[in-house]
Amino acid sequence: SPNPSNGIFKISISQSTAEIQVSSLDGKIAFQSRNTGNHSFIDLSNEPKGLYFVRVTSVNGVKIKRIVLE
């Protein structure tokens, strides 16, 4: 949250360890990190405006959400 975003947003994760990857529509990876807490702050303010996909991989599986940068 928030969505749409100005490029800085927070992800809340129920698992304490997860892999986070943010990519643009054309597949370019804009952010990648291994999260070791229940919250992650991501700064994409230097990336072009548009639609991005946030992929969170944990022991519970994979979740993909959309985020719009305005």
Side-chain angles (χ1 to χ4, degrees):
S1 67
N3 193 12
S5 171
N6 64 355
I8 299 173
F9 58 98
K10 178 176 106 174
I11 295 178
S12 297
I13 302 169
S14 60
Q15 292 294 316
S16 61
T17 303
E19 185 77 29
I20 300 170
Q21 185 179 65
V22 181
S23 59
S24 60
L25 280 176
D26 63 1
K28 177 187 165 215
I29 296 174
F31 178 87
Q32 189 167 2
S33 175
R34 184 152 184 88
N35 183 51
T36 56
N38 289 353
H39 301 289
S40 233
F41 290 93
I42 298 174
D43 184 354
L44 299 178
S45 58
N46 291 329
E47 295 295 326
K49 296 178 182 181
L51 181 64
Y52 289 80
F53 294 99
V54 179
R55 178 185 175 110
V56 179
T57 306
S58 71
V59 295
N60 290 339
V62 177
K63 283 195 174 193
I64 299 174
K65 298 287 184 176
R66 295 180 311 177
I67 190 155
V68 177
L69 296 188
E70 292 189 327

